[in-house]
Amino acid sequence: MIKRNQQLTIGALVRYLCGNTSEKAILQVVGIKVIEKIKNDDTSIFTKCYHLILSDGKHTFSSCMLDTKINKLIEMNSLKENSIIRIDRVMVNSIDKTEKNMLVLYELEVIQSDSERIGDLVALSLTDITNNGGDTNFLETTNDNNTTIKKSNFSTTIYRKPTYTRLLTKLNEHNQ
């Protein structure tokens, strides 16, 4: 059991996003939003998804989703804003057609349901992900203006949406 003054696992969000999903980090839920989705194109069947904002005591990350199999934690009021949790199983998924990654929480334990907000929080930025605490990451920008983050055991590419100017440039290059 975690004590009230127990520290959160600072830097865990960055490590998750850089591929270290085996870490069992202690984090705080600082926001919960319900999203109702239509299931299997049948407009009469809805499923609830919960979008979470997580904190490691230093940073927040807002692209987090609770697996629907553990929705009961919120519905039974065990997991709520400011709850302290231990992540037991998490995956990093790319969000289609965007530049973002999402953390999907598959297993977690609610350590402390009611807590005070911990830390002076700052939203996590791409710079924080690529310059994470002394670990060597290599940034590579391709000719498509996409950014690839490379580590010794992990690589991910952040795709940039094409702009009108870049599309015209590519069209001109193709026609030459």
Side-chain angles (χ1 to χ4, degrees):
M1 196 68 157
I2 192 170
K3 296 178 182 174
R4 276 211 180 276
N5 60 0
Q6 174 74 29
Q7 293 292 323
L8 301 178
T9 311
I10 293 175
L13 293 170
V14 170
R15 289 189 295 275
Y16 282 153
L17 292 166
C18 287
N20 181 8
T21 57
S22 62
E23 182 174 358
K24 300 207 184 292
I26 306 294
L27 302 174
Q28 185 171 38
V29 177
V30 294
I32 299 173
K33 179 180 177 184
V34 65
I35 301 169
E36 292 193 5
K37 295 170 75 176
I38 297 172
K39 193 173 184 178
N40 298 330
D41 297 328
D42 182 351
T43 56
S44 65
I45 301 175
F46 288 91
T47 183
K48 283 186 182 179
C49 293
Y50 290 97
H51 178 260
L52 305 178
I53 301 172
L54 297 179
S55 163
D56 63 8
K58 182 178 180 183
H59 292 107
T60 60
F61 188 66
S62 61
S63 295
C64 306
M65 195 68 80
L66 195 63
D67 183 54
T68 56
K69 293 176 184 147
I70 56 174
N71 280 355
K72 64 182 181 258
L73 292 172
I74 292 177
E75 292 160 0
M76 294 174 11
N77 207 29
S78 175
L79 178 62
K80 49 192 166 186
E81 257 186 49
N82 295 329
S83 290
I84 307 294
I85 60 173
R86 184 186 71 226
I87 306 296
D88 291 326
R89 194 167 139 237
V90 62
M91 300 275 295
V92 180
N93 288 342
S94 295
I95 302 172
D96 291 336
K97 300 178 185 176
T98 68
E99 303 172 10
K100 290 187 175 183
N101 285 329
M102 172 177 281
L103 293 178
V104 181
L105 309 177
Y106 289 98
E107 294 176 16
L108 63 87
E109 180 181 344
V110 178
I111 304 292
Q112 186 176 329
S113 194
D114 296 307
S115 180
E116 299 291 320
R117 182 77 47 98
I118 299 172
D120 296 319
L121 308 176
V122 177
L124 198 56
S125 69
L126 177 61
T127 304
D128 296 319
I129 295 168
T130 57
N131 297 322
N132 93 45
D135 286 348
T136 304
N137 294 317
F138 302 98
L139 280 183
E140 174 184 298
T141 303
T142 65
N143 57 359
D144 292 347
N145 204 26
N146 297 324
T147 302
T148 301
I149 303 169
K150 294 183 177 181
K151 292 185 69 149
S152 58
N153 62 347
F154 175 77
S155 176
T156 188
T157 301
I158 300 169
Y159 294 97
R160 305 285 181 211
K161 293 179 183 174
T163 63
Y164 182 72
T165 305
R166 283 185 24 219
L167 288 174
L168 285 177
T169 303
K170 284 187 176 192
L171 182 62
N172 289 336
E173 289 172 358
H174 179 69
N175 289 334
Q176 290 179 355

